[in-house]
């Protein structure tokens, strides 16, 4: 994370009282939630919490808006042909995202796997049925920068590829051969690689090799939904359950028409393919489309200002406590929204990061926060607060609870 636009002055004011009815207007950041007839979360005794950490899979990602649920519910009332749903919805998504074609997948990982499969098999159904056995394929190698060889590359490995790691432009040129099927780019690791987008694409086009880019959580900004298609990547993969606020189990594969068509051969409803278990039901497909349409049309400047105001509330509550340091940070690529980094000195506050997170988790209401341990001395504590999954007014609850715990642990 890099320092961006530190708020110069925000006065500290004690926080108290209820948050409900705080007068904070509805924003695009907040999902409108209709009270359910049956609350299964409470019925099953599952802990419900305020999400001040971010749209991560383990903590339910994001919340869907009412119009998304309406699309899901209304489409559940009748039978349709699965292929037609992907055709029609895919065409709408492609138009929005400036791509030739698109399909809804079972998360971004599914998009990566199906896109890789497309590059390996083309429209050859015998090859589709053979995956992940690619030993006798004419093309079975995927080139990856060493700095992009991160955890999610495992999903590409599941197609049986032969991974070729390179570091420099010279190594890239030497690695290309008649066996090269695909060139993979991890957008979040762009700063770490020696080869950036345009050079990567230029080499790929020179040798007529398809490219795929992973931008799973690299929205916002909204423009990233079409930026990489416009740039020239052949396939772009993004999550549908984070900023877009579609079903958590959805993603999008978009790009060249012939590659998306090939990818669909390795996806449901066919049963002799590597992606048969990556089923996305029709309700999720319609739900993602409704979420995407809503997301691209919302007021993004207003949303950003809302996030800044929520960060300011929490910042005001804690930054003048003795021994506490705050910093407003904006990740350069991944989950790019205003965050608040809070750290404290153990000499002034007798509380570890672990103790703080446990107190917030076990409190009422329960709160989940992010932990920042890198670059923080072992004798200090630190938290990272992400506000974009907060509902209106929850920033006051988060601010009050963190303020309380820091003050209780202050060394007089």
């Amino acid at each position: 994370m890099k320092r961006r636009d530190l708020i110069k002055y925000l006065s500290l004011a004690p926080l108290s009282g209820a948050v409900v009815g705080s007068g904070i207007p509805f924003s695009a950041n907040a999902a409108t939630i209709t009270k359910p007839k049956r609350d299964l979360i409470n019925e099953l005794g599952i802990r419900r919490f305020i999400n001040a950490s971010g749209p991560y899979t383990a903590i339910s990602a994001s919340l869907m808006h009412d119009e998304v649920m309406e699309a899901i519910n209304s489409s559940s009332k009748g039978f349709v042909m699965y292929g037609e749903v992907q055709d029609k919805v895919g065409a709408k998504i492609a138009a929005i995202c400036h791509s030739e074609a698109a399909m809804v997948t079972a998360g971004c990982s599914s998009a990566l796997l199906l896109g890789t499969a497309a590059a390996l098999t083309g429209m050859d159904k015998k090859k589709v049925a053979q995956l992940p056995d690619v030993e006798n394929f004419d093309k079975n190698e995927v080139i990856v920068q060493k700095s992009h060889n991160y955890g999610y590359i495992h999903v590409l490995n599941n197609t049986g590829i032969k991974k070729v790691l390179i570091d420099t432009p010279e190594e890239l040129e030497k690695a290309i051969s008649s066996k090269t099927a695909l060139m993979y780019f991890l957008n979040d690791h762009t700063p770490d690689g020696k080869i950036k987008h345009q050079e990567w694409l230029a080499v790929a086009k020179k040798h007529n090799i398809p490219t795929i880019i992973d931008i799973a959580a690299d929205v916002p900004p909204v423009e990233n939904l079409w930026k990489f298609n416009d740039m020239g990547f052949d396939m772009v993969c993004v999550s549908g359950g984070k900023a877009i606020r579609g079903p958590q189990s959805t993603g999008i594969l978009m790009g060249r028409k012939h590659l998306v068509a090939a990818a669909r051969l390795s996806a449901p409803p066919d049963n002799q393919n590597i992606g048969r278990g990556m089923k996305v039901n029709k309700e999720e497909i319609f739900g993602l489309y409704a979420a995407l349409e809503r997301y691209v049309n919302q007021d993004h400047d207003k949303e950003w200002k809302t996030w800044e105001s929520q960060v300011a509330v929490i910042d005001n509550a804690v930054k003048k406590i003795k021994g506490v340091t705050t910093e407003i940070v904006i990740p350069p690529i991944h989950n790019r929204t205003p965050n608040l980094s809070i750290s404290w000195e153990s000499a002034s506050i007798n509380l570890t990061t672990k103790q703080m997170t446990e107190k917030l988790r076990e409190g009422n209401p329960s709160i989940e926060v992010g932990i920042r341990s890198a670059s923080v001395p072992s004798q200090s504590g630190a938290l990272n607060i992400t506000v974009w999954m907060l509902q209106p007014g929850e920033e006051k609850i988060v601010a009050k609870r963190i303020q309380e715990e820091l003050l209780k642990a202050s060394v007089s």
Side-chain angles (χ1 to χ4, degrees):
M1 294 184 181
K2 297 179 181 179
R3 180 178 303 190
R4 296 280 184 91
D5 302 325
L6 179 64
I7 294 178
K8 295 180 179 179
Y9 180 80
L10 293 168
S11 60
L12 177 66
L15 298 174
S16 62
V19 175
V20 177
S22 62
I24 297 178
F26 173 81
S27 72
N29 179 52
T32 53
I33 307 299
T34 301
K35 186 176 181 180
K37 295 179 180 178
R38 183 180 181 186
D39 191 337
L40 289 173
I41 294 177
N42 287 340
E43 185 178 315
L44 297 177
I46 297 171
R47 178 172 65 96
R48 191 193 301 264
F49 54 83
I50 292 173
N51 181 358
S53 181
Y56 300 106
T57 299
I59 54 176
S60 306
S62 58
L63 299 181
M64 293 180 284
H65 294 279
D66 277 353
E67 47 266 64
V68 177
M69 293 306 304
E70 288 168 4
I72 290 172
N73 291 332
S74 64
S75 61
S76 72
K77 306 301 182 182
F79 292 98
V80 295
M81 295 304 292
Y82 188 86
E84 186 179 3
V85 177
Q86 283 281 25
D87 288 343
K88 298 291 178 63
V89 171
K92 291 290 188 180
I93 292 173
I96 291 171
C97 297
H98 304 185
S99 62
E100 293 179 7
M103 65 180 292
V104 179
T105 63
C108 186
S109 288
S110 171
L112 287 167
L113 182 141
L114 295 173
T116 303
L120 291 168
T121 69
M123 299 300 291
D124 188 331
K125 291 188 177 181
K126 289 183 178 179
K127 287 184 176 180
V128 169
Q130 190 175 322
L131 288 179
D133 179 7
V134 299
E135 194 63 40
N136 65 352
F137 281 23
D138 294 336
K139 297 179 182 291
N140 59 16
E141 294 180 354
V142 175
I143 299 178
V144 184
Q145 292 187 69
K146 292 176 182 177
S147 57
H148 293 215
N149 186 35
Y150 185 65
Y152 291 107
I153 195 71
H154 187 73
V155 72
L156 276 71
N157 295 339
N158 289 341
T159 65
I161 59 158
K162 311 294 183 180
K163 187 168 56 179
V164 179
L165 299 178
I166 58 94
D167 190 37
T168 66
E170 294 75 20
E171 290 177 1
L172 172 58
E173 284 285 357
K174 290 179 181 178
I176 294 172
S177 73
S178 61
K179 302 288 289 183
T180 306
L182 184 67
M183 289 169 55
Y184 166 78
F185 198 97
L186 178 57
N187 190 56
D188 185 46
H189 285 215
T190 300
D192 305 322
K194 294 180 181 178
I195 309 172
K196 308 307 181 188
H197 301 93
Q198 296 292 1
E199 186 175 9
W200 190 258
L201 289 170
V203 173
K205 292 184 185 305
K206 173 184 173 182
H207 295 280
N208 196 30
I209 299 170
T211 51
I212 190 169
I213 186 169
D214 178 351
I215 64 164
D218 302 346
V219 178
V222 64
E223 292 83 5
N224 277 3
L225 286 169
W226 48 84
K227 173 182 176 179
F228 301 99
N229 289 312
D230 292 345
M231 191 181 291
F233 278 93
D234 297 297
M235 290 180 283
V236 179
C237 306
V238 65
S239 171
K242 300 184 187 300
I244 297 172
R245 293 182 183 265
Q248 184 184 358
S249 52
T250 61
I252 300 171
L253 172 64
M254 49 190 165
R256 306 297 179 196
K257 188 174 182 179
H258 70 282
L259 288 169
V260 174
R264 284 182 60 177
L265 294 180
S266 284
D270 293 337
N271 60 10
Q272 293 188 37
N273 56 44
I274 196 171
R276 183 64 176 89
M278 299 177 180
K279 188 183 298 182
V280 189
N281 63 44
K282 71 179 191 299
E283 292 83 4
E284 291 173 310
I285 297 173
F286 284 117
L288 176 59
Y289 170 50
L292 178 66
E293 194 174 47
R294 184 190 195 282
Y295 179 67
V296 298
N297 289 310
Q298 72 185 42
D299 188 335
H300 297 281
D301 290 336
K302 181 180 179 181
E303 182 179 48
W304 191 274
K305 290 176 182 177
T306 297
W307 292 334
E308 288 181 325
S309 68
Q310 290 176 310
V311 167
V313 169
I314 304 169
D315 189 36
N316 281 335
V318 302
K319 69 179 180 180
K320 291 188 178 179
I321 298 174
K322 182 181 177 182
V324 172
T325 301
T326 64
E327 180 185 10
I328 296 170
V329 292
I330 301 174
I333 301 175
H334 191 75
N335 292 331
R336 193 176 185 277
T337 62
N339 287 233
L340 182 66
S341 172
I342 304 171
S343 58
W344 58 90
E345 302 170 0
S346 58
S348 300
I349 298 173
N350 185 23
L351 188 68
T352 67
T353 299
K354 182 180 179 181
Q355 288 170 335
M356 172 65 95
T357 57
E358 289 176 349
K359 288 178 181 295
L360 294 174
R361 182 176 293 129
E362 295 167 3
N364 185 18
S366 177
I367 301 170
E368 288 290 333
V369 295
I371 299 174
R372 285 193 72 233
S373 56
S375 75
V376 176
S378 58
Q379 298 303 311
S380 301
L383 298 176
N384 186 70
I385 305 299
T386 304
V387 300
W388 70 326
M389 291 297 114
L390 298 182
Q391 301 304 295
E394 287 183 343
E395 71 278 5
K396 291 190 175 183
I397 299 174
V398 173
K400 183 173 184 291
R401 288 288 297 114
I402 295 174
Q403 182 190 65
E404 287 174 345
E405 295 301 337
L406 290 172
L407 289 173
K408 282 194 294 185
S410 294
V411 177
S412 57

